Amino acid sequence: MVTAYDFPSAVHVARAGIDIVLVGDSVAMVELGHDTTQPVTLDQMLHHCDSVKRGLNFAGSPTPLLVGDMPFGTYEYDDTDVALRNAYRFVKEAGCDAVKVEGGSVARAKTVKKLVEGGIAVMGHVGLTPQAISVLAGFRAQGRTAQRAREVLDDALRLQDAGAFACVIECVPSNVAAAITDTLEIPVIGIGAGGETSGQVLVYHDMLGMLSHPHHEQFVPSFCKKYAFVGHAIQDGLQQFKSEVENGSFPGVTYSPYVMGEDEKKMFAELLSADEKERQRKHDAAAKKLVQADEYEQLKLYGSQSASPNEDGEK
C-alpha cells in the first residue's frame, strides 16, 4: 500500500502495480504544509480522494483498492450516525472503496461496527495514531512495554471483531507487530513495524525523496527507505529553466512551433503600421497611469504611519 494525494501520483502508483492506494490525512503535512494531520477537513479529503480516483481510472486496469482516511473530527462522536454520514460521502462523492479510521477503543469499535453494518468497508489503524498526538504527547513509538503492547493487540482484535477488513499498525516494535499479525485473521499492514506484517505502507513523498535537496534534507521518518531522490531532479529542472529563461536560450526556435506564413506576416505588419501612433499614445497613457498608481500606493503606505494632514497641509 502506498499513499497518493492527486491525479499524477495516483497514475504513477497504479502503473507500478501497487494493490492498495491510501489517500491519507498525511496530505495535511506533506502537501498542505501543516505540522500535524489534525487540520485537514472532510471537504479537503474528499477533494483529494476524487482526484486520486480519476488518476486510478486513467491508469487503466487493474485498478487498486482506494481507501480514504477519515480526518480528525469526522467519526469520533458518540452518535455513530455522524460517522456513517461522513463515510458515505467518501464512497458516493469521491469513489472510495473503503475508509480508514484510527484507534481501537471500545467506542471506536462501536463506530467501525456501525460503518460496516451500513455497507462501508473499514480499514483500522492502531499503534501510533497521528490524529491523537495531542494525548500521545507527540509522534512517539507505541507498544514498547509489555502492558502497552497487549493493549495495542486488544485494540486490533476489537477492530477485527467489529468487522474491519484490514488493519494498519504504526510505529511498534517488530515482535509486537508479528504477534498481532499472527493473532489476527485479517491482513495487517505495517509502517515502522518491522517485516513480519502481511504488507507494508509508505508515504509517497517520503519514499521517493520528494523533499530531498542536494544541500539539505527535510525530515523523513527513520523507518522510511528512500527508493528515489526525486527532489534532486526537481531542483535541477527548475534551476535549469530559470537559467535558460534568463539567458534567452528558452524557448528558442525549437520550442516555438507556431508560425505565420510570409504573406500573413506582411499583412500583419501593415495592420500594425496603420495605427502605430494611436497604439503608442495608449501605451504612454497606460504607463503614466501605472506610475501614478505606484506613487499613490507608496504615499498611502508611508502616510498610514503618521497622522493625516489637515486642509492646510499641516499635521
Side-chain angles (χ1 to χ4, degrees), residues 93-104:
E93 297 178 29
C96 289
D97 301 303
V99 299
K100 183 172 76 65
V101 300
E102 293 186 7

Side-chain angles (χ1 to χ4, degrees), residues 69-91:
D69 235 343
M70 295 193 71
F72 183 64
T74 63
Y75 60 90
E76 298 90 344
Y77 302 92
D78 291 336
D79 182 359
T80 54
D81 283 338
V82 175
L84 184 60
R85 283 195 299 270
N86 290 333
Y88 280 145
R89 293 189 66 189
F90 277 90
V91 175

Side-chain angles (χ1 to χ4, degrees), residues 210-234:
M210 294 290 287
L211 293 180
S212 61
H213 185 280
H215 304 301
H216 62 82
E217 292 293 328
Q218 299 290 350
F219 172 76
V220 174
S222 58
F223 57 74
C224 183
K225 177 180 179 179
K226 286 187 180 179
Y227 289 86
F229 292 88
V230 176
H232 290 207
I234 290 173

Side-chain angles (χ1 to χ4, degrees), residues 16-203:
I18 303 298
D19 50 4
I20 305 176
V21 173
L22 170 66
V23 184
D25 60 358
S26 48
V27 67
M29 302 175 70
V30 298
E31 287 215 342
L32 303 181
H34 295 293
D35 292 331
T36 73
T37 63
Q38 291 178 338
V40 71
T41 67
L42 176 59
D43 285 339
Q44 288 172 327
M45 287 301 303
L46 294 174
H47 168 84
H48 285 279
C49 288
D50 184 42
S51 177
V52 168
K53 181 66 173 182
R54 289 194 295 273
L56 299 182
N57 290 338
F58 180 82
S61 60
T63 303
L65 183 77
L66 177 59
V67 181
D69 235 343
M70 295 193 71
F72 183 64
T74 63
Y75 60 90
E76 298 90 344
Y77 302 92
D78 291 336
D79 182 359
T80 54
D81 283 338
V82 175
L84 184 60
R85 283 195 299 270
N86 290 333
Y88 280 145
R89 293 189 66 189
F90 277 90
V91 175
K92 295 172 70 66
E93 297 178 29
C96 289
D97 301 303
V99 299
K100 183 172 76 65
V101 300
E102 293 186 7
S105 65
V106 173
R108 191 71 73 250
K110 179 183 176 182
T111 298
V112 170
K113 188 173 187 294
K114 177 74 171 184
L115 298 183
V116 173
E117 290 177 346
I120 302 293
V122 179
M123 177 180 286
H125 185 152
V126 299
L128 173 61
T129 49
Q131 292 176 8
I133 63 164
S134 297
V135 294
L136 294 176
F139 296 103
R140 300 188 179 200
Q142 303 293 306
R144 291 191 290 184
T145 66
Q147 181 61 37
R148 181 58 188 133
R150 176 65 208 204
E151 291 172 357
V152 176
L153 172 58
D154 289 340
D155 288 346
L157 283 168
R158 273 192 290 270
L159 293 174
Q160 175 177 265
D161 292 343
F165 73 91
C167 187
V168 171
I169 183 166
E170 181 170 358
C171 293
V172 302
S174 58
N175 65 305
V176 177
I180 292 173
T181 302
D182 288 342
T183 302
L184 297 188
E185 293 297 320
I186 60 176
V188 175
I189 302 172
I191 177 168
E196 301 302 316
T197 54
S198 313
Q200 299 289 329
V201 58
L202 286 176
V203 171

